[in-house]
């Protein structure tokens, strides 16, 4: 009995000690940590409010349950409300906060956020499955990481130019660091679905929807709080957004209006990459896609009912200076369209008789040179074009049609009078005579026009090594005059 009494007494003492420790720990540690969590979530321009909170979990960590939560920015442009939010931390990393919001919440965005003050606010119902946000901080600054099995935002019914907006991300993983106008982040999702309706005049409407597979976004920015483009450039600002996807599909349909017929577009791609960057006083844009398919249809009274086609590859690149400097800076433009195959509807619209034949087309244009920025971009007023091209090099220019091919390369100096560039261009044509004959037979060219073009080719073209329908032309521009193979162009 004495031993049993001692055990019971020990358990009672332990319970009393645990209760006292929990009360002291809750008061001295957990509740101050809860206050710190709120202050951390209010950092920067965020306003965090709640109706009630409950604290549990000590001594192995803590869990704070907030009820009736509201989060908004300092300017009141948006606000997010949730019935509950759980904030927790563990002993392994007490500085890291793990945030789990309720499965359903609501986001309200004021029209002023879109530059349309006075219009009704846009409201989104948000559904989150397996959503976890982790806030932490180290020597590199604050960090936020998000994971979600599924995150969906669906616009609630309401007026306005934009309606029926829907965004659904599956397999979401994102992280970012942002501080004082700078930051970087990354987002990945196994799929992203979107849909929207747009009606600027409240009469005609355009609806669009699409899907991205294996979406990957990366972002880096600096001096993003600069007042305008000129201040952004002066501060060596950075805006770098990159997107890579697997399969892409999209469609849009417009109801048309008094002066426009109803139209519909559809397109797919096997993969795509896009870059938009402002860095080091330069701008860069690039886009590429593989396995493209496109179709277009229009209803009466449209003159052309539609068509489509496919292409194996598409590439576009632009690189140019933005900052004013005493010396010219490099620029470049590339455009590539490989194995383009128009469908019969498109071919018939251009060549109903089939005179040109049917087959894939290809286009490649690669230009570069030097350009001078003559005015601060983003300035309130400009007296002339802000960018002056001084040199142009044709690294590649190729066009191929069924039975015809044209290639050119060369370099031009455009300093001085822009209408009188100086330099040389080498032009090579294959199948030009045959193309003229087929165009004339199919009614695409009047016979006398085809004869005129043939005469020009005969006078100025130099026969190449591949036969009579292989022509070479060395074009020289000098002091406002143009010669082709040494003969003045008249």
């Amino acid at each position: 009995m004495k031993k049993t009494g001692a055990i019971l007494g020990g358990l009672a003492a332990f319970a009393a000690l645990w209760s006292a420790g929990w009360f002291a720990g809750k008061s001295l540690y957990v509740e101050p940590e809860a206050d710190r969590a709120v202050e951390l979530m209010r950092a920067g321009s965020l306003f965090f409010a709640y109706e009630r909170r409950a604290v549990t979990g000590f001594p192995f960590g803590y869990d704070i349950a907030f009820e009736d939560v509201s989060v908004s920015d300092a300017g009141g442009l948006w606000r997010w409300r949730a019935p509950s939010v759980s904030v927790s931390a563990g002993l392994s990393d007490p500085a890291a906060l793990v945030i789990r919001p309720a499965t359903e919440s609501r986001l309200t965005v004021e029209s002023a956020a879109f530059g349309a003050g006075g219009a009704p606010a846009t409201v989104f119902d948000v559904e989150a499955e397996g959503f976890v946000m982790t806030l932490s901080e180290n020597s590199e600054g604050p960090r936020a990481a998000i994971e979600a099995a599924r995150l969906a935002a669906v616009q609630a019914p309401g007026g306005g130019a934009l309606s029926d907006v829907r965004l659904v991300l599956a397999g979401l993983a994102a992280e970012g660091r942002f501080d004082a106008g700078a930051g970087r982040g990354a987002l990945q999702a196994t799929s992203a679905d979107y849909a929207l309706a747009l009606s600027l005049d409240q009469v005609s409407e355009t609806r669009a929807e699409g899907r991205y597979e294996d979406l990957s976004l990366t972002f880096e920015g600096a001096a993003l709080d600069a007042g305008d483009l000129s201040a952004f450039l002066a501060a060596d600002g950075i805006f770098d957004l990159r997107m890579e996807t697997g399969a892409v599909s999209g469609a849009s349909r417009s109801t048309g209006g008094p002066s426009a017929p109803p139209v519909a577009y559809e397109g797919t791609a096997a993969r795509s990459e896009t870059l938009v960057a402002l860095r080091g006083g330069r701008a860069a844009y690039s886009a590429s896609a593989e396995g493209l398919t496109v179709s277009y249809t229009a209803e009466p009274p449209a003159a052309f009912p539609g068509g489509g086609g496919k292409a194996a590859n598409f590439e576009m690149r632009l690189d140019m200076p933005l900052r004013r400097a005493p010396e010219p800076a490099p620029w470049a433009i590339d455009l590539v369209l490989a194995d383009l195959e128009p469908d019969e509807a498109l071919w018939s619209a251009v060549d109903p008789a089939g005179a040109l034949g049917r087959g894939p087309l290809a286009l490649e244009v690669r230009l570069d040179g030097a350009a001078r920025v003559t005015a601060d971009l983003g300035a309130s007023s400009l007296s002339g074009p802000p960018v002056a091209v001084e040199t142009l090099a044709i690294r590649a220019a190729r066009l191929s049609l069924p039975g015809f091919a044209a290639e050119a390369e060369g370099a031009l100096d455009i300093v001085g009078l822009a209408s009188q560039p100086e330099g040389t261009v080498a032009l090579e044509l294959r199948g030009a005579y045959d193309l003229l004959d087929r165009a004339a037979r199919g009614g695409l060219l009047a016979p006398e026009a085809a004869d005129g073009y043939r005469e020009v080719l005969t006078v100025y073209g130099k026969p190449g090594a591949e036969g009579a329908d292989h022509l070479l032309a060395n074009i020289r521009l000098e002091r406002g005059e143009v010669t082709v193979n040494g003969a003045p162009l008249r």
Side-chain angles (χ1 to χ4, degrees), residues 88-395:
S88 60
L91 293 178
S92 60
D93 187 3
L97 299 179
V98 179
I99 302 172
R100 294 178 174 87
T103 303
E104 297 182 357
S105 61
R106 173 160 284 197
L107 174 66
T108 301
V109 183
E110 298 296 333
S111 59
F114 305 111
T122 302
V123 180
F124 297 93
D125 292 318
V126 181
E127 294 183 4
E129 297 178 8
F131 185 98
V132 178
M133 174 185 288
T134 303
L135 302 180
S136 60
E137 187 170 0
N138 56 24
S139 59
E140 297 183 9
R143 172 183 178 269
I146 294 175
E147 293 183 359
R150 181 179 181 272
L151 180 63
V154 180
Q155 185 178 359
L162 198 62
S163 61
D164 294 343
V165 176
R166 175 176 57 87
L167 176 63
V168 181
L169 299 173
L172 172 65
E175 65 172 317
R177 299 179 184 271
F178 300 94
D179 184 30
R184 63 182 184 273
L187 180 150
Q188 292 182 327
T190 56
S191 66
D193 296 88
Y194 68 89
L196 60 88
L198 178 65
S199 179
L200 298 176
D201 56 8
Q202 301 299 304
V203 177
S204 61
E205 181 183 70
T206 298
R207 289 185 171 271
E209 61 183 7
R211 179 179 179 87
Y212 296 97
E213 301 280 357
D214 299 324
L215 173 65
S216 174
L217 292 170
T218 59
F219 173 79
E220 182 179 359
L224 299 178
D225 53 354
D228 53 28
L229 179 58
S230 59
F232 174 84
L233 295 174
D236 284 327
I238 297 174
F239 178 93
D240 192 317
L241 178 63
R242 301 169 186 265
M243 181 175 75
E244 299 181 12
T245 74
V248 180
S249 61
S252 66
R253 294 168 178 80
S254 174
T255 59
S259 59
V263 297
Y265 300 86
E266 291 187 8
T268 64
R271 59 169 298 278
S272 70
E273 294 184 10
T274 305
L275 163 69
V276 179
L278 304 176
R279 181 190 291 265
R282 300 184 62 83
Y285 171 79
S286 65
S288 66
E290 296 178 0
L292 289 170
T293 67
V294 179
S295 67
Y296 162 84
T297 57
E299 299 178 14
F304 176 57
K310 60 182 181 179
N313 185 54
F314 166 81
E315 297 178 23
M316 181 177 180
R317 183 175 74 95
L318 169 66
D319 188 7
M320 62 174 289
L322 295 177
R323 184 180 294 155
R324 184 170 58 170
E327 300 297 327
W331 66 269
I333 295 177
D334 292 347
L335 176 62
V336 177
L337 193 57
D339 293 331
L340 172 62
E341 299 183 38
D343 65 7
E344 186 56 35
L346 279 179
W347 272 120
S348 297
V350 176
D351 177 27
L356 300 181
R358 299 291 187 262
L361 319 178
L363 173 68
E364 179 182 9
V365 178
R366 300 187 186 275
L367 310 176
D368 61 24
R372 189 187 304 271
V373 179
T374 59
D376 291 327
L377 298 179
S380 57
S381 63
L382 296 173
S383 58
V387 180
V389 176
E390 296 197 353
T391 62
L392 183 153
I394 305 173
R395 291 181 288 117

Side-chain angles (χ1 to χ4, degrees), residues 38 42 47-51 66-72 80 82:
V38 171
R42 286 175 175 170
F47 180 75
F48 180 89
Y50 60 93
E51 289 292 329
F66 296 97
E67 296 182 14
D68 295 330
V69 173
S70 174
V71 180
S72 62
W80 175 72

